[in-house]
Amino acid sequence: MTTFFDEVQEIRKRYPAGARSATLPALRLAQEKHGWLSREAIEETADALEVTPAFCYSVASFYDMFHLEPVGRHTIEICTNLPCALCGAQKVVEAFESALGISAGETTADGEVTLRAVECLGGCGYATVVAVDHRYRQNVKAEDAAEIVEGLDA
Amino acid sequence: MPEQKVLLAGTDKHDLTKLAEYQAIGGYGKGLERARAMTSEELIDELQRATLRGRGGAGFPMGRKASLIDRKSSKPKYLVVNADESEPGAFKDRQVMAEVPHRLIEGCLIAAHAIESTSVFIYIRGEYLTEYEILQGAVDEARAAGLFGGVEITVHRGAGAYICGEETALLESLEGKRGQPRPRPPFPPIQGLYYAPTQINNVCTIATVPTILTIGAEEFAKTGVPSSPGTAIFSISGNVVRPGNYELPLGTPMRELIYEHAGGIANGRELKAVIPGGSSVPALTPDQIDVPLDYDSLGAIGTFFGAASLIVVDDRCCMVQLALRSTKFYAHESCGKCTPCRVGTRWMVQILESIENGTATRADLDLLDSVGDNILGKVLCALGEFAVYPVASYLHKWRDEFVAHVEQGGCPFHGSSSLEGILAPSDQHAHAEVLV
Amino acid sequence: MSAELVRVKIDERDVHVPKGTGIVETALAAGIEIPVFCYEPRLGDPVGACRMCLVEVEGMPKLQTGCTLTAQDGMIVKTARTSEKAAAGQNGTLEFILVNHPLDCPVCDKGGECPLQDLTFRYGPGNTRMSYEKLTFEKPIPISPTISLDRERCILCYRCTRFSSDVSEDGQLVAANRGAMSVITTFEDVPYTGAFTGNVTELCPVGALLPTQYRFEGRPWEIVDVPTVCGLCPVGCNINATVRETKVKRILSRNHPEIDEGWICDKGRFAFTHLRAEDRLTQPLQRTRRHGLEEVTWEAAIDEAERLLRAAQGRIVTALSGSETVEQAYALGKLLRAGLGSHQAMLPEEVSGALDGYRLPLSAIRDADAVVVLGDVPVAERAPVVDLWIKSARRKGARILDSADEVGDAERVVLIWSGPGGRGGATVAKLAEKLTLAGREGCGAFYLPTTPNGRGVADAWAACCDDESDEPDSIGLLVVSGDEAAADPNVRALAEQAEATIVLSMFGGLSAGWADLVLPGTSYLERDGTFVNLEGRLQRLRATVTPPCPDELHWIAELAARFDVDVAPYAAAVFAEVSEKVYDGLSFGEVGESAPLRGYPDAAVRVDRPSLPESQAKPGKTEIRLVAYKPLFSGAAVERVTELQFQRPQPEVELSAEDAGWRNIETGDLVTVGSNGNAITLPARVNRRLGKGIARVAIEHANGLGGIVELARAAEEVSA
Ligand SMILES: Cc1cc2nc3c(=O)[nH]c(=O)nc-3n(C[C@H](O)[C@H](O)[C@H](O)COP(=O)(O)O)c2cc1C
Ligand code: SF4
Ligand code: FES
């Protein structure tokens, strides 16, 4: 079994020696492993990259896709940027909020689902775009929310 | 004018994500062979003659950029493809990667040859997971088929930061750091990735290159307009009947795109505004839409070609809300490195909020203008300006609406605006609370 | 390699500067100041973040940042003085900077010496147009026991984080988040730890990062900065001591470009409060039969000293610390040697003049092509600032090697000896000779001693008398000069043999058990005199405050008079005597505020017999060579500064990944290290940069171990 450390060393080899380019891939890997970038996850990443935890934290906190707080096992991310917004994204947000019983930005009490409004996902022609566990659902309407929530595997 | 597929050629009948099908329509064929038979100078010359203007925003000729690469440098040369596409309204690069990944890869091989590079990085935004998988699959397939000829292509995923589309921020991010822009000069062709000469181009720019080499620069230049030859994929979104991507020759009138290809304004509403280049550019009023869609024509009426992405706004939309939601995006995406952008965008949000909720005075409208002026031309990269351009245009072209907010002590749309109540991520982001 | 001169016109003034000179410097050459915040050339490439330095350049439509722009021939630049556009840009920036600033100057320690305050005064808007909620943060928060951070005052110039990542390379102080939410931080609750952290308090152009020791301690109009030299390590960084009401309140760097480039270590910066330590001695102590040490008057103490000196009948051995000034060592030497014929002295380490033919300023390290660092003690523990020079050499492309065999055809080669042995530099001099470095441009060698002024003390001791004598068979009197000597176990062993012992010490506890007479000593911050640093550079120490006891020179002179030895009670006069013999007659005044590297007039003759490199015992396959090093954060001064305790090394053994690997040891596991029945059990720390076969431990945790040892995972019961 390859360890996290070994996997990171493999990633590092794709880039010139001494470069820190493996930082983002390594943080992503750590996040997949731990669910979010906990203190331990960051320390483990720093060790494998031979950098300080502070450096990893600094980088991770810059990017929206890294979670420095625990998130649900599933994520539902709704684009609310202009093109989607002009086509009714707010109704979609509200539909998910009531389907899940939480506000955007929160995680269900059982720790299963995190709901977020996010910036433009690059599917503007197919509003509203909702990323369900990072897979895009397009042309989502408010009435689709319940079904999407149902469809999350348990 | 009908759609004219160059970048997307063959997608109607073939699954071009498969190497065999792409090769069956001539992919990795004549174009690549011609390029590899040329010297670096000859190839750059061919690209220069095609006047292929960058599709990422600034419209700088791609061949000119290649000619600026410091080829005498003892360091390796790098080609970096900007696939960070995050400009609100833009979704064309995504379609290219999802449907014609090999055309992009072939373009990389040709462009790398032009600048004598053997190392290509494609920086794809982190949210594009499916597209990443398709692209990575295509890269692996092409490599396995022995098409790379000594070149290595690495697909590198971003992690959610609009600023990483800015070329120097992209380089920082690719180097594993916070994606904050670098001061220029030195420009990337002299000192880019890992301090080495680097060519950076948008996905669509690079994916156009195989066609130029296949049909020749002269033939290529016959499409479009002389100052901007070729076709572009236009993303159109917002309140139109058939939003989506349309590949059209440059110079196609905007009206044609909106009313013919996209079917006009949806739900029988009236056109109010068009933001023609992604949300970062000055908006146009309905009387301005006969403009041809090319860099210079749009520039002449005070806006930008940008990311060839039109956001169409109908008459239900409150322009103050539009400005506020737009500014919240740019404030949220500001990298925080330079003062005017970091501080100014937040300040703009505060002023716009007070205009929208009716606590502002007329002096605040001037303040909004002035804060914008203090950002324009003083920032490290264009992001801060991207926040100001659209808002300044709304403020000037729809001034009555801004004044009405001030005078009526609130939004004249009384809750009926199409953007009413829209939630911005910055209003709910967890990390914002952690440290404040 | 002289760069081509170009002509630039700035605000109608013509200047000629080498091509590529920064516009900020070019303007300065024309006598024009361009205001900056983020720009600080010592931190590497400019970042163009604050946008304070906006200028108008002819032919460029947008304003440009002066800090990132370089001079090209024919350039025409207008600063805010002559360009309305530039002035408007600058005012806009200043307004943005102030939008979220708390404007709490009256209660800010930076008040009065704050660039932001100054610029606001000069150019700032009279009133604010910001009527919305400012960003607020919890304030101030400690980022370590020595440094506090006020995020509301921070203008995000990234000087501090660039220092951490690009100068000290500790990577601990970073920016987090993005946009308006960006903040300076360390990781979680981990304090900013390392040899150089305090420099960020001087780099910060506002009152965001401040030394906690200085909190509410002084206002600019009540203080004076006294220029002197740090006496805590052999580098001799140039410093200013901020003095208020006869007390040292703060230590600042005083940029000597060849020695320290304006960086000082945290020991030099924060350890000054040892001057006011609770156990600081001000009255002499004399042993009485029943009560142990008791306070006596200075007259009584001098009488007693005279009695002990006479009673020893020449059988006197002197243990020096290497932290005495040249003048103190000379005065003491003159009394003991010329007056009493007692020539025996010991220093904590060997001193050699062998390197005098290979002298370079420390700054030459930065320009080297290859730097060979020999020895297993981390450079930062011995001579911290040297570590920064090595790092900047690496950043500039130099190879940093651990063996002279790999030098190859490098042109500029610098050798550095950082470890035990080394014979005061003779070993590394021999190596330099082998590599034929003598006289080659940019080539040279350094030996990192453990004492701040070992060379100066040795020279002074040698200079005060030409006679010599054999070692006495018994020690009548041991004179222990200084706290370092008093803390040395070898000296204590001698004290047991001696019939009587006089100790010169700042602190009571050190010699309480064994001294017969304790005479209070002074600190380097209280002395006038000279030091010779590891470059062989003679530098001037100044008494920044008056010591709470008589200066050593004073009472040595008084005591010497009783033996008809003429010792002047003033440093200048003593130096004049030493200088005749050692420094070519240089006068005290000529030593200078920012001393040049003069070298020694008779360097060639003084070169000692070269010694061959010592052969280090090679550890066997399963053995480990344990290096017990003296940490930077140790010693009598550091022990007395509460805020510095977190910097002291953990009780742990560092070992290489290889050695840990096959023994199945991971960081945190307990390991037992031992030889000859002596063993210690400590947690391990795996250090991937350490060479195989070597383990390191701070000497205070070594329990006397060192050299070849056995190392193994501790038995399970121990860790349970
Ligand atoms: C804030 C900002 C965001 C940008 N985002 C993108 C982007 O997502 N994709 C892109 O191709 N160019 C983007 N650009 C433009 C790039 O900086 C750069 O000009 C472009 O990648 C060059 O490619 P081209 O010459 O092929 O157009 C952005 C610029 C700025 C200032
Ligand atoms: S704390 Fe000081 S040095 Fe650091 S970024 Fe803020 S203002 Fe600059
Ligand atoms: S000093 Fe030039 S941008 Fe800060």
Side-chain angles (χ1 to χ4, degrees):
Chain A
M1 200 196 79
T2 49
T3 62
F4 175 80
F5 183 89
D6 296 334
E7 265 184 89
V8 172
Q9 305 319 309
E10 281 307 311
I11 297 172
R12 290 174 78 180
K13 285 185 200 146
R14 291 183 214 153
Y15 304 95
R20 290 186 174 178
S21 294
T23 308
L24 260 50
L27 284 167
R28 182 178 297 112
L29 202 63
Q31 179 160 291
E32 280 164 13
K33 185 177 151 195
H34 293 257
W36 61 290
L37 292 176
S38 60
R39 181 180 185 137
E40 291 68 34
I42 285 185
E43 282 170 346
E44 194 178 347
T45 312
D47 179 58
L49 291 169
E50 292 176 81
V51 297
T52 59
F55 173 78
C56 288
Y57 174 72
S58 160
V59 172
S61 67
F62 187 86
Y63 297 93
D64 289 339
M65 292 177 72
F66 292 128
H67 304 299
L68 295 163
E69 300 284 310
V71 287
R73 206 160 56 83
H74 296 289
T75 53
I76 295 178
E77 296 170 312
I78 305 159
C79 169
T80 67
N81 205 301
L82 296 182
C84 285
L86 287 167
C87 300
Q90 182 58 26
K91 295 220 167 59
V92 179
V93 172
E94 286 159 15
F96 275 102
E97 287 181 332
S98 62
L100 289 164
I102 52 172
S103 298
E106 295 177 350
T107 300
T108 51
D110 58 3
E112 279 292 294
V113 188
T114 295
L115 179 68
R116 305 208 289 172
V118 293
E119 293 296 7
C120 180
L121 286 169
C124 324
Y126 323 104
T128 295
V129 184
V130 179
V132 180
D133 290 334
H134 310 293
R135 299 290 170 182
Y136 285 14
R137 301 282 288 259
Q138 304 187 141
N139 299 310
V140 175
K141 306 267 172 296
E143 47 282 21
D144 303 330
E147 183 209 311
I148 290 173
V149 170
E150 292 284 292
L152 296 171
D153 68 72
Chain B
M1 242 181 273
E3 271 202 85
Q4 186 175 337
K5 295 195 174 173
V6 173
L7 276 148
L8 297 173
T11 50
D12 295 344
K13 301 204 181 71
H14 302 271
D15 176 0
L16 296 183
T17 60
K18 297 202 171 73
L19 176 60
E21 294 204 35
Y22 180 65
Q23 284 180 312
I25 63 159
Y28 297 112
K30 189 176 159 210
L32 183 59
E33 281 158 27
R34 253 193 91 213
R36 283 185 171 158
M38 291 184 191
T39 63
S40 172
E41 285 77 16
E42 288 166 349
L43 183 46
I44 290 177
D45 187 54
E46 176 97 10
L47 292 168
Q48 296 229 55
R49 277 184 289 119
T51 331
L52 169 60
R53 296 179 66 170
R55 302 290 192 246
F60 194 80
M62 186 263 179
R64 269 273 302 291
K65 214 185 252 188
S67 73
L68 298 174
I69 289 282
D70 177 11
R71 279 184 292 143
K72 289 196 297 291
S73 162
S74 61
K75 300 205 167 111
K77 321 290 175 286
Y78 293 105
L79 173 67
V80 175
V81 179
N82 188 342
D84 192 57
E85 189 170 66
S86 311
E87 177 71 15
F91 47 101
K92 58 193 172 60
D93 300 348
R94 179 173 160 228
Q95 187 178 358
V96 169
M97 291 185 284
E99 296 184 8
V100 284
H102 286 291
R103 195 162 279 144
L104 172 62
I105 295 167
E106 186 179 357
C108 290
L109 297 174
I110 297 170
H113 185 67
I115 59 161
E116 295 171 359
S117 164
T118 56
S119 192
V120 180
F121 292 94
I122 302 176
Y123 186 102
I124 180 171
R125 68 177 291 189
E127 292 86 349
Y128 283 177
L129 174 57
T130 305
E131 294 72 17
Y132 160 73
E133 289 168 350
I134 295 169
L135 184 60
Q136 184 67 60
V139 165
D140 293 340
E141 204 183 359
R143 186 196 295 113
L147 293 165
F148 278 12
V151 173
E152 184 49 59
I153 299 180
T154 307
V155 186
H156 187 95
R157 298 181 65 197
Y162 166 75
I163 185 62
C164 294
E166 193 285 331
E167 56 186 22
T168 59
L170 185 153
L171 296 178
E172 288 282 297
S173 180
L174 184 45
E175 289 183 11
K177 304 179 212 154
R178 295 158 61 79
Q180 295 189 316
R182 302 174 179 171
R184 287 165 297 179
F187 288 92
I190 308 296
Q191 198 182 94
L193 187 63
Y194 311 125
Y195 282 84
T198 303
Q199 166 101 3
I200 307 171
N201 280 113
N202 170 261
V203 167
C204 288
T205 313
I206 295 292
T208 305
V209 167
T211 305
I212 295 173
L213 268 288
T214 309
I215 65 175
E218 284 68 28
E219 187 60 29
F220 173 81
K222 286 182 186 157
T223 328
V225 292
S227 67
S228 323
T231 59
I233 302 177
F234 290 95
S235 298
I236 182 165
S237 63
N239 306 128
V240 288
V241 177
R242 284 188 300 275
N245 283 329
Y246 298 92
E247 185 169 3
L248 299 166
L250 284 139
T252 301
M254 181 183 281
R255 183 181 296 279
E256 182 186 317
L257 172 57
I258 298 174
Y259 284 94
E260 291 174 25
H261 298 288
I265 309 307
N267 307 315
R269 308 297 311 193
E270 295 281 307
L271 175 64
K272 183 170 189 180
V274 181
I275 320 171
S279 72
S280 61
V281 306
L284 299 177
T285 47
D287 58 323
Q288 293 182 297
I289 66 166
D290 287 307
V291 62
L293 290 166
D294 65 75
Y295 299 89
D296 298 349
S297 302
L298 285 159
I301 59 167
T303 185
F304 301 98
F305 184 84
S309 306
L310 287 73
I311 303 173
V312 178
V313 181
D314 73 23
D315 57 346
R316 293 169 303 160
C317 179
C318 164
M319 296 310 272
V320 173
Q321 290 183 11
L322 190 71
L324 178 57
R325 180 64 187 87
S326 176
T327 311
K328 279 188 182 175
F329 169 71
Y330 292 103
H332 177 238
E333 299 299 338
S334 168
C335 81
K337 182 169 178 175
C338 83
T339 312
C341 175
R342 181 185 66 243
V343 179
T345 54
R346 179 177 182 270
W347 198 358
M348 283 174 67
V349 167
Q350 290 176 311
I351 299 169
L352 283 162
E353 270 171 348
S354 82
I355 297 173
E356 172 61 14
N357 68 28
T359 55
T361 62
R362 267 175 186 265
D364 288 307
L365 302 186
D366 298 335
L367 178 64
L368 181 60
D369 233 349
S370 157
V371 170
D373 277 346
N374 284 345
I375 295 175
L376 289 178
K378 285 122 194 148
V379 270
L380 178 62
C381 87
L383 189 145
E385 302 183 315
F386 289 179
V388 178
Y389 291 139
V391 171
S393 78
Y394 309 156
L395 182 57
H396 293 136
K397 294 182 177 176
W398 288 271
R399 192 167 174 92
D400 290 352
E401 223 172 286
F402 281 74
V403 172
H405 278 78
V406 170
E407 293 191 338
Q408 298 175 21
C411 184
F413 284 77
H414 301 295
S416 69
S417 160
S418 52
L419 292 180
E420 184 65 32
I422 190 70
L423 178 73
S426 53
D427 296 328
Q428 45 119 48
H429 254 218
H431 76 240
E433 292 144 31
V434 179
L435 282 151
V436 187
Chain C
M1 209 179 50
S2 64
E4 166 202 349
L5 279 190
V6 294
R7 190 176 54 102
V8 178
K9 198 191 259 306
I10 296 197
D11 292 346
E12 306 301 321
R13 297 184 200 171
D14 275 324
V15 273
H16 290 85
V17 291
K19 185 174 176 170
T21 304
I23 291 300
V24 172
E25 287 80 5
T26 307
L28 221 50
I32 296 162
E33 191 195 334
I34 298 177
V36 298
F37 284 118
C38 67
Y39 184 53
E40 168 48 88
R42 291 178 299 154
L43 300 175
D45 293 340
V47 290
C50 73
R51 317 305 284 179
M52 193 62 210
C53 61
L54 293 171
V55 294
E56 191 177 349
V57 181
E58 202 172 282
M60 297 193 180
K62 288 184 181 178
L63 293 174
Q64 301 290 314
T65 43
C67 68
T68 61
L69 212 61
T70 55
Q72 311 296 332
D73 200 34
M75 216 176 212
I76 303 178
V77 179
K78 287 179 168 177
T79 74
R81 298 168 66 245
T82 57
S83 153
E84 260 177 50
K85 195 172 157 192
Q90 229 166 62
N91 291 343
T93 298
L94 197 55
E95 182 181 38
F96 282 137
I97 290 177
L98 295 171
V99 154
N100 286 307
H101 195 85
L103 304 172
D104 55 352
C105 309
V107 295
C108 177
D109 284 319
K110 197 82 171 187
E113 41 186 32
C114 174
L116 177 59
Q117 197 182 29
D118 293 348
L119 287 177
T120 306
F121 251 13
R122 270 156 61 192
Y123 310 106
N127 56 342
T128 174
R129 304 194 292 169
M130 168 75 179
S131 52
Y132 306 97
E133 230 176 289
K134 293 187 179 204
L135 271 175
T136 51
F137 296 100
E138 185 193 332
K139 62 184 271 181
I141 54 166
I143 57 163
S144 79
T146 47
I147 303 171
S148 69
L149 167 63
D150 185 325
R151 287 178 175 145
E152 293 183 350
R153 293 181 189 151
C154 170
I155 63 166
L156 289 166
C157 67
Y158 303 99
R159 284 181 175 214
C160 53
T161 56
R162 282 185 284 151
F163 175 81
S164 172
S165 67
D166 304 344
V167 178
S168 67
E169 297 182 7
D170 59 65
Q172 292 182 54
L173 195 62
V174 295
N177 304 341
R178 207 170 64 198
M181 303 317 300
S182 305
V183 289
I184 302 303
T185 187
T186 59
F187 181 58
E188 304 262 336
D189 51 0
V190 181
Y192 187 20
T193 313
F196 306 103
T197 70
N199 290 298
V200 301
T201 63
E202 274 190 78
L203 282 167
C204 184
V206 296
L209 288 165
L210 291 167
T212 43
Q213 288 173 331
Y214 194 60
R215 195 164 154 79
F216 304 135
E217 282 288 344
R219 293 311 235 160
W221 56 90
E222 313 165 321
I223 57 175
V224 274
D225 283 341
V226 186
T228 185
V229 164
C230 181
L232 289 173
C233 96
V235 175
C237 291
N238 288 203
I239 56 171
N240 270 324
T242 296
V243 175
R244 175 176 172 242
E245 289 172 356
T246 73
K247 285 203 171 69
V248 177
K249 294 291 185 183
R250 173 176 74 175
I251 301 291
L252 299 172
S253 70
R254 183 171 56 86
N255 199 339
H256 191 309
E258 288 184 353
I259 301 175
D260 50 56
E261 218 192 5
W263 310 130
I264 60 175
C265 79
D266 284 10
K267 179 162 152 176
R269 185 183 300 277
F270 297 125
F272 69 90
T273 55
H274 75 274
L275 296 183
R276 308 191 275 276
E278 273 180 22
D279 64 344
R280 177 87 196 256
L281 294 176
T282 55
Q283 282 295 307
L285 302 171
Q286 188 178 332
R287 188 165 300 280
T288 54
R289 189 150 301 151
R290 230 166 276 142
H291 306 287
L293 290 176
E294 276 191 346
E295 274 191 15
V296 292
T297 63
W298 272 95
E299 293 89 277
I302 298 299
D303 288 346
E304 175 66 4
E306 181 187 348
R307 193 187 66 75
L308 291 172
L309 288 170
R310 289 195 196 281
Q313 295 178 324
R315 293 170 304 124
I316 305 174
V317 172
T318 309
L320 296 158
S321 281
S323 59
E324 300 82 357
T325 59
V326 165
E327 295 71 16
Q328 285 171 357
Y330 184 84
L332 204 58
K334 203 169 171 197
L335 161 63
L336 293 168
R337 298 187 63 192
L340 297 158
S342 304
H343 305 288
Q344 295 304 317
M346 53 186 274
L347 264 171
E349 62 185 340
E350 225 174 306
V351 174
S352 155
L355 276 179
D356 289 348
Y358 301 96
R359 293 296 187 193
L360 283 178
L362 281 170
S363 55
I365 298 173
R366 174 189 49 202
D367 304 319
D369 302 313
V371 182
V372 184
V373 185
L374 300 161
D376 305 315
V377 174
V379 168
E381 307 287 355
R382 285 218 161 177
V385 162
V386 178
D387 191 44
L388 294 183
W389 288 116
I390 297 173
K391 287 187 165 117
S392 67
R394 189 200 295 115
R395 288 194 299 273
K396 276 190 71 185
R399 289 180 299 140
I400 312 299
L401 310 168
D402 56 13
S403 156
D405 301 339
E406 297 159 43
V407 165
D409 54 5
E411 273 179 31
R412 293 158 179 266
V413 180
V414 172
L415 308 180
I416 296 172
W417 185 279
S418 177
R423 302 196 177 144
T427 312
V428 72
K430 181 72 192 162
L431 208 57
E433 187 190 301
K434 221 172 100 186
L435 293 170
T436 63
L437 301 187
R440 271 167 53 190
E441 196 187 321
C443 293
F446 296 92
Y447 168 77
L448 311 185
T450 57
T451 58
N453 188 32
R455 175 66 186 270
V457 168
D459 284 346
W461 188 267
C464 50
C465 177
D466 289 333
D467 300 342
E468 277 187 45
S469 68
D470 293 334
E471 225 174 291
D473 353 316
S474 60
I475 305 176
L477 176 67
L478 178 68
V479 178
V480 180
S481 160
D483 296 288
E484 294 85 347
D488 183 346
N490 295 327
V491 172
R492 291 191 191 189
L494 273 191
E496 276 175 27
Q497 299 167 31
E499 287 156 26
T501 305
I502 300 179
V503 181
L504 281 58
S505 166
M506 281 180 71
F507 309 110
L510 279 173
S511 53
W514 45 277
D516 297 292
L517 180 65
V518 184
L519 297 167
T522 61
S523 157
Y524 63 95
L525 288 167
E526 298 160 339
R527 297 175 186 165
D528 245 328
T530 52
F531 261 35
V532 178
N533 79 348
L534 56 73
E535 304 163 286
R537 189 191 304 259
L538 184 72
Q539 299 201 92
R540 176 74 194 274
L541 249 62
R542 235 172 264 274
T544 65
V545 287
T546 316
C549 56
D551 182 79
E552 284 89 342
L553 279 186
H554 260 87
W555 59 256
I556 293 172
E558 189 183 331
L559 198 54
R562 301 192 185 185
F563 297 93
D564 293 325
V565 178
D566 184 23
V567 170
Y570 304 107
V574 179
F575 181 80
E577 247 182 277
V578 188
S579 181
E580 281 306 316
K581 298 171 184 164
V582 189
Y583 306 119
D584 218 14
L586 189 77
S587 80
F588 200 48
E590 279 171 322
V591 177
E593 210 73 276
S594 185
L597 182 55
R598 296 191 170 84
Y600 289 87
D602 50 353
V605 236
R606 297 180 84 266
V607 171
D608 296 355
R609 172 178 44 87
S611 5
L612 286 166
E614 292 154 275
S615 61
Q616 294 265 28
K618 281 253 163 13
K621 225 177 147 192
T622 62
E623 284 170 335
I624 295 261
R625 185 153 52 80
L626 184 73
V627 180
Y629 68 94
K630 186 165 165 288
L632 173 66
F633 294 103
S634 66
V638 168
E639 280 160 22
R640 283 162 180 80
V641 181
T642 330
E643 311 84 273
L644 276 178
Q645 297 313 301
F646 80 105
Q647 291 270 26
R648 302 185 67 177
Q650 298 293 316
E652 62 186 12
V653 182
E654 273 181 281
L655 67 166
S656 71
E658 265 176 89
D659 291 313
W662 70 265
R663 288 181 174 83
N664 216 359
I665 297 170
E666 283 181 34
T667 295
D669 291 348
L670 284 178
V671 293
T672 301
V673 185
S675 80
N676 298 332
N678 181 5
I680 49 173
T681 298
L682 292 172
R685 170 164 305 277
V686 180
N687 178 347
R688 294 207 176 86
R689 292 198 187 101
L690 210 59
K692 183 179 156 22
I694 294 166
R696 266 197 306 239
V697 65
I699 202 159
E700 62 232 53
H701 303 301
N703 196 27
L705 280 167
I708 302 296
V709 295
E710 294 280 349
L711 185 151
R713 249 185 99 107
E716 293 303 327
E717 308 84 70
V718 185
S719 59

